[in-house]
Amino acid sequence: MTSSEGSRLSRRTLLRTTAAAGAGAAATVIHPGAASAAPATPLTAHDQPSAGQKKGRIPTPAEYFGTPIGTEGFLAQWHKMVPYFELIGARSDRVKYEEIGKTTQGHPYVLLTISSPKNLADLDKLVATNARLADPRGLSEAEAKKLATKSKPFYYVQAGIHSTEVGNSQAAIEWAHRLATEQSDYIEEILDNLVILLQPCQNPDGLVLVNDYFAATAGTSYSRTYPDLYQKYTGHDDNRDWIMLTQVESKYNVSILNKYRPHVFQDSHGAGANAPRLFTPPYLSPYDPNIDTILVQGTNTVGLAMQRGMTVAGMKGNGWGSTYDYWSPSRQYCVYHGSARILTEAAAASNLAYPNVGTKPLGQQTTDINFIEPYDSNTWTLRDIIDWVSQAFYSGLEAVAYDTYNWLYNSYRVGVKAVTRTSPYAYVIPAGQRDPQAVRDALEIFHLGAVEIHEARAAFTAGGKQYPAGSYIIHLRQPYAGFVKTLLEVQNYPQLLQYPGGPPQRPYDTTAQTLPMLLGFEADLIEAPFSADARLLNSVKPSAVATPSTPPRGGAYAIGPESYGVFRIVAALQQADIPTFRAAARFTDGGRTYPAGTFLVPPSPTARELLRTQSKNTGIPVSAVGAVPAVAGVQLKPGTRIGLLKPPDNMPSGWLMWTFDQYGVDYSVVEAGDYADLAGTYDAIIMPDGVSRNSIVNGLSATRYPPEWAWAFGVGTTGWNQLHDFVTGGGTLVAYGSGTATAQSLFSLPITSTLPGGSNSDFYCPGSLLSQEFDTDNPAAWGVPADNPVWFVSNDAYRLTSTSTYPVEVIAKYPGTDEQLKSGWLIGGEHLNAAVNGLSWTIGKGYVVTFGNEIGFRTWNRSEQRTLFNAAYYGPSTKLTADQFQRLGK
């Protein structure tokens, strides 16, 4: 920062002091030029607008909500927040209110664009100029410098994605009011120099659930915190969706980032009660090398400006360079699209909105270079959270508003580095792959991510390999190539230890995200330039497929099991009550070999029309076989009923709900009242990671939660035994991750872990892709590539201790060598050598499939996840001899 900027900052830095609620000492809060919250007073018809207010006075938050924001035990609710933001937009010429769309559960998803009236009048021009700087192809440096002197940086701040981290969305109410109304040199200079994109809540559904539940339980003996997922499908994982982009809220967020290309993205969160009072960047190592180094430095600059602002204001207990790294793209789409990501994490108060009071000063009490002043009070309140995050926000604004030229010019430099890359040159995704759904899913991610994709109109050669027409080319000399590269390449996570010879330094999230391994497709990295006749895609559509011909008498429609997308078709067949069969062995018809697991559908006009439509919509081909083969097979049970064990706040089950809803699967969550007649309600039950004996037997407490949560109350040992009897009586159970240990407890499965206990120094795998050998003749592995990698995140691997307790077959195992790691980070891979992972058991009359790893992780590992579908449909199916199968069960 220049000396003139420093003096300008000091001129604007005005302190105010408020009494910290419940604290013995005063807390110094920096809100330059701000006034304390006004008491609640009624509005009158005589309220007049002041400068910056178009149509009537804007009430203070305290006036509008009837209670000052940050008051102990009070949380503003979304149904009042949205009208308040609308009112601000209607009455202020500094604020543009916009509803981007509706959320998963139908609530408004809103954005406030805040700047000076002149900047808002020129908004389209500013957006276009910043887009030009971000994509500098054809733009000279002189032209870029000229544009950098004329445009304005964009600062995007987002709150409330994690709904129990309540302080940030509450603070956003005050931010909006202050920026809209305050007449001060300080605010006016910021608004003259910046365009602020304020998203007061990235997850409105969760804010409604959490804050409304908090209000509804006031004055009761019930727990005040909403007990379930605060996003219908993803819960706390809603900011781990910024590579797969499955949720509508994720897509809205990406649309904002793609449109405005903000230079800074402030992602405002909350942490545990004993965390630093506020964390900001710089981050802990490592950073993904696909993040431009200019953005890494910009991130450090803004984060340290926030730290400086809090220190100047006397706000203690803040830290940086710990816990949170700059690695995984699932949390930071923005950094591959030109934005420095500023994560703030505020320490939590007690029970959402009540003071956290200790017997001594809270949090770490030793100083360090990245934690310079311990917090010196034994009390921390919701008001403190709001003050701390507000100070950080305004300091972040200052860091950009007082240095506009460099932020704009640096955007150009980031783009230049991307579009002038010398190597590698491109990725090629060959046409004609085994799984068109996998290719389509990957292309849709890239298309949503503003990546340019070309489709070859003719065959071409690249990297010494011939590619057919229809292959896809993604050049890496384009602005957002880093997004492509980090998703397609193998991750080599650095071997980071807490100290030399010590245990591993924990990554904040996962260490791998290699899409070709997760989805099951090929993408070839081409180092040198090549030529191809190709067209730029404007949209991603399913592969073109021919309408299936009508099978002759004795024949059937055939659908291969190679695509995980085939289960969309299976679900549609189930809904239409169309008989569906699967061959249990490979067969040949008309010179073509069909693999085990191929679906056969008897011909009928209804089946033909459904398959024609489904094939067109998915790009998955349907063919006709001239004669049904004489091999063993199965007939899927019509209307297979799938039950999902979903403890409250269990994210793996939430992600499965999303998958099932997308596919149209007939499923429902298993409720406490279902256990008395599980067999009469379900054919197959899924037990995901995180389902334990305790979550089934004890569940939620009826004394701590209202009667509407009775579905999640414990079912006792009676219900536990009823789940056991459901299986032994002929039901199907599919368990994975820690759910396998629960199944082991339920049935005394003869397996033991091969992994060492104790220190992570002996074995550690915090979210990586590992080698696997699948028995593709096993029904649970039909259609899975024999060497399909598996996802492993602090899971388990096993050794069979007996093969006589129950009939058992190995579905999948780890290779016998030490070469276990495919992408990510692994310590102690030798403990996996020849360990079993997937097993199928016959227990009484029932069918149980267990996987030690997470076969359904966040919808990422979709190629592997088909094992879940295979098992759930196979278990309840009717098993047919070769003769019965050839007659299609007749």
Side-chain angles (χ1 to χ4, degrees):
M1 183 177 66
T2 66
S3 59
S4 63
E5 288 162 352
S7 62
R8 188 166 38 176
L9 175 62
S10 63
R11 283 202 313 272
R12 302 297 183 235
T13 301
L14 309 174
L15 303 181
R16 71 174 173 89
T17 303
T18 60
T28 305
V29 183
I30 175 172
H31 287 184
S36 298
T41 57
L43 297 179
T44 73
H46 300 291
D47 287 323
Q48 297 297 317
S50 60
Q53 301 181 38
K54 294 181 289 190
K55 299 177 182 178
R57 177 178 174 272
I58 297 173
T60 67
E63 291 171 330
Y64 184 85
F65 291 96
T67 304
I69 299 301
T71 296
E72 176 183 322
F74 172 76
L75 293 174
Q77 295 166 267
W78 194 239
H79 72 271
K80 288 200 70 176
M81 290 169 67
V82 171
Y84 186 58
F85 295 133
E86 287 185 282
L87 182 151
I88 291 175
R91 294 189 180 182
S92 173
D93 58 3
R94 298 174 176 180
V95 180
K96 173 188 173 185
Y97 170 89
E98 183 179 3
E99 181 177 312
I100 303 298
K102 298 297 185 185
T103 63
T104 300
Q105 295 183 292
H107 297 109
Y109 183 97
V110 307
L111 178 71
L112 303 181
T113 304
I114 307 173
S115 193
S116 68
K118 181 180 184 305
N119 288 341
L120 289 183
D122 293 339
L123 187 61
D124 290 344
K125 181 179 179 181
L126 296 176
V127 170
T129 301
N130 288 349
R132 189 71 191 92
L133 289 168
D135 182 358
R137 288 173 288 190
L139 182 68
S140 71
E141 184 166 353
E143 292 170 323
K145 288 181 176 179
K146 186 176 180 180
L147 290 175
T149 64
K150 293 182 176 180
S151 195
K152 308 292 180 183
F154 282 60
Y155 190 109
Y156 181 12
V157 59
Q158 181 182 97
I161 190 167
H162 290 157
S163 306
T164 51
E165 299 164 8
V166 295
N168 295 290
S169 285
Q170 300 296 294
I173 299 169
E174 294 188 345
W175 301 345
H177 177 263
R178 183 186 182 193
L179 292 168
T181 63
E182 184 176 310
Q183 306 300 313
S184 68
D185 291 345
Y186 174 77
I187 289 296
E188 288 177 0
E189 185 169 357
I190 286 177
L191 297 181
D192 284 342
N193 291 346
L194 278 184
V195 177
I196 301 164
L197 304 170
L198 172 56
Q199 186 178 74
C201 187
Q202 159 66 9
N203 177 23
D205 292 350
L207 192 149
V208 170
L209 293 170
V210 169
N211 291 19
D212 287 10
Y213 184 85
F214 181 82
T217 53
T220 73
S221 60
Y222 294 129
S223 170
R224 303 299 304 282
T225 303
Y226 184 75
D228 204 0
L229 297 174
Y230 48 63
Q231 200 275 352
K232 180 177 179 180
Y233 299 116
T234 67
H236 194 79
D237 272 353
D238 53 1
N239 74 325
R240 272 77 171 176
D241 187 43
W242 292 346
I243 54 174
M244 290 302 192
L245 305 176
T246 63
Q247 304 302 303
V248 65
E249 294 86 357
S250 301
K251 294 175 182 177
Y252 290 152
N253 182 52
V254 162
S255 72
I256 294 168
L257 288 162
N258 290 350
K259 176 180 178 179
Y260 294 103
R261 294 172 175 83
H263 302 83
V264 172
F265 175 67
Q266 180 182 329
D267 192 8
S268 307
H269 284 257
N274 293 320
R277 298 304 92 187
L278 192 70
F279 168 90
T280 74
Y283 296 109
L284 189 69
S285 291
Y287 76 91
D288 181 355
N290 293 300
I291 304 172
D292 190 279
T293 52
I294 295 174
L295 293 176
V296 175
Q297 292 286 19
T299 301
N300 295 344
T301 297
V302 176
L304 288 176
M306 290 175 163
Q307 291 287 333
R308 178 192 59 194
M310 288 183 291
T311 300
V312 170
M315 294 177 166
K316 300 178 181 180
N318 311 298
W320 65 93
S322 64
T323 306
Y324 307 98
D325 57 42
Y326 216 2
W327 181 264
S328 52
S330 63
R331 295 182 294 117
Q332 47 200 30
Y333 171 95
C334 60
V335 300
Y336 306 96
H337 293 79
S339 298
R341 179 181 184 244
I342 309 300
L343 172 68
T344 63
E345 294 271 355
S350 178
N351 210 5
L352 299 183
Y354 291 90
N356 178 17
V357 182
T359 58
K360 58 184 179 180
L362 300 174
Q364 178 181 331
Q365 292 298 303
T366 57
T367 61
D368 202 341
I369 190 63
N370 62 345
F371 189 84
I372 59 177
E373 287 186 299
Y375 187 61
D376 54 8
S377 171
N378 71 334
T379 302
W380 180 250
T381 67
L382 177 61
R383 183 66 248 176
D384 290 328
I385 294 172
I386 293 170
D387 287 340
W388 258 248
V389 300
S390 295
Q391 172 58 60
F393 170 58
Y394 289 114
S395 294
L397 294 181
E398 292 169 4
V400 183
Y402 299 160
D403 193 21
T404 61
Y405 174 83
N406 282 321
W407 281 96
L408 291 161
Y409 179 70
N410 289 350
S411 174
Y412 164 76
R413 290 301 309 160
V414 169
V416 166
K417 291 169 67 178
V419 301
T420 59
R421 179 195 303 271
T422 57
S423 181
Y425 181 73
Y427 273 97
V428 175
I429 300 176
Q433 298 200 37
R434 72 188 304 274
D435 191 345
Q437 185 72 54
V439 172
R440 179 186 172 192
D441 285 354
L443 294 178
E444 286 184 340
I445 290 167
F446 295 139
H447 184 68
L448 284 170
V451 171
E452 296 168 356
I453 307 167
H454 287 80
E455 183 179 21
R457 288 184 282 224
F460 64 97
T461 300
K465 180 177 177 180
Q466 183 80 10
Y467 292 95
S471 297
Y472 299 100
I473 303 166
I474 303 179
H475 295 285
L476 295 179
R477 295 178 183 175
Q478 59 172 297
Y480 308 130
F483 186 60
V484 174
K485 191 167 178 291
T486 201
L487 293 185
L488 291 182
E489 70 185 3
V490 171
Q491 277 69 56
N492 296 299
Y493 194 84
Q495 185 88 356
L496 297 175
L497 306 179
Q498 295 180 24
Y499 50 84
Q505 174 186 295
R506 177 187 178 273
Y508 186 66
D509 199 49
T510 58
T511 64
Q513 63 270 347
T514 309
L515 276 187
M517 296 183 189
L518 291 166
L519 303 184
F521 68 96
E522 296 176 17
D524 298 333
L525 182 63
I526 310 299
E527 295 286 347
F530 61 89
S531 298
D533 177 15
R535 66 181 184 92
L536 179 66
L537 293 183
N538 294 319
S539 62
V540 175
K541 299 178 180 178
S543 303
V545 289
T547 300
S549 57
T550 302
R553 173 176 291 212
Y557 293 108
I559 316 160
E562 296 90 351
S563 174
Y564 58 78
V566 73
F567 288 102
R568 296 175 185 266
I569 303 178
V570 172
L573 290 166
Q574 289 261 308
Q575 289 178 0
D577 198 25
I578 295 175
T580 307
F581 300 79
R582 300 192 79 175
R586 64 178 56 87
F587 63 93
T588 301
D589 182 88
R592 173 181 170 183
T593 299
Y594 293 83
T598 295
F599 294 89
L600 294 183
V601 179
S604 71
T606 302
R608 175 178 172 78
E609 181 57 29
L610 183 147
L611 293 174
R612 184 193 68 78
T613 301
Q614 288 291 321
S615 180
K616 180 181 178 182
N617 291 344
T618 62
I620 297 172
V622 176
S623 59
V625 296
V628 175
V631 298
V634 299
Q635 180 176 2
L636 271 59
K637 182 175 182 179
T640 303
R641 303 162 302 170
I642 295 177
L644 176 60
L645 291 174
K646 179 190 175 295
D649 205 26
N650 178 262
M651 288 180 285
S653 59
W655 282 112
L656 278 184
M657 287 170 58
W658 181 84
T659 301
F660 289 163
D661 283 345
Q662 297 302 301
Y663 283 30
V665 172
D666 181 9
Y667 82 99
S668 60
V669 171
V670 179
E671 299 187 359
D674 294 339
Y675 280 78
D677 186 22
L678 288 172
T681 311
Y682 303 109
D683 301 306
I685 291 177
I686 313 298
M687 183 183 284
D689 183 73
V691 177
S692 65
R693 186 182 191 278
N694 179 66
S695 69
I696 294 171
V697 172
N698 296 322
L700 288 183
S701 166
T703 61
R704 297 194 66 224
Y705 295 96
E708 58 262 32
W709 293 95
W711 66 269
F713 290 168
V715 296
T717 55
T718 298
W720 177 255
N721 293 331
Q722 287 167 334
L723 180 60
H724 176 279
D725 294 344
F726 163 78
V727 172
T728 58
T732 293
L733 180 71
V734 183
Y736 65 84
S738 64
T740 288
T742 306
Q744 180 184 20
S745 173
L746 184 62
F747 300 109
S748 299
L749 298 178
I751 53 177
T752 186
S753 175
T754 66
L755 305 183
S759 172
N760 287 337
S761 298
D762 297 322
F763 181 87
Y764 192 56
C765 188
S768 303
L769 285 155
L770 305 182
S771 299
Q772 196 79 170
E773 297 173 352
F774 281 89
D775 177 5
T776 58
D777 288 328
N778 187 291
W782 283 341
V784 180
D787 59 351
N788 196 99
V790 297
W791 181 262
F792 196 106
V793 53
S794 302
N795 298 139
D796 213 338
Y798 297 99
R799 176 173 60 85
L800 265 171
T801 58
S802 170
T803 57
S804 59
T805 305
Y806 302 113
V808 60
E809 296 180 1
V810 176
I811 303 167
K813 63 181 181 178
Y814 297 93
T817 66
D818 293 344
E819 297 300 319
Q820 305 292 353
L821 181 64
K822 302 290 287 185
S823 184
W825 190 20
L826 174 65
I827 295 174
E830 66 273 11
H831 296 289
L832 294 171
N833 291 353
V836 297
N837 181 27
L839 295 163
S840 61
W841 313 80
T842 300
I843 300 179
K845 297 179 181 179
Y847 175 68
V848 175
V849 168
T850 59
F851 275 86
N853 77 308
E854 287 197 51
I855 58 175
F857 184 78
R858 298 180 184 167
T859 80
W860 289 12
N861 48 336
R862 297 174 190 175
S863 180
E864 175 191 4
Q865 189 180 40
R866 85 187 75 199
T867 56
L868 186 154
F869 286 96
N870 279 334
Y873 284 118
Y874 175 81
S877 66
T878 300
K879 312 316 184 272
L880 303 175
T881 65
D883 178 65
Q884 290 172 324
F885 186 77
Q886 190 174 36
R887 293 185 285 110
L888 294 179
K890 297 176 183 177

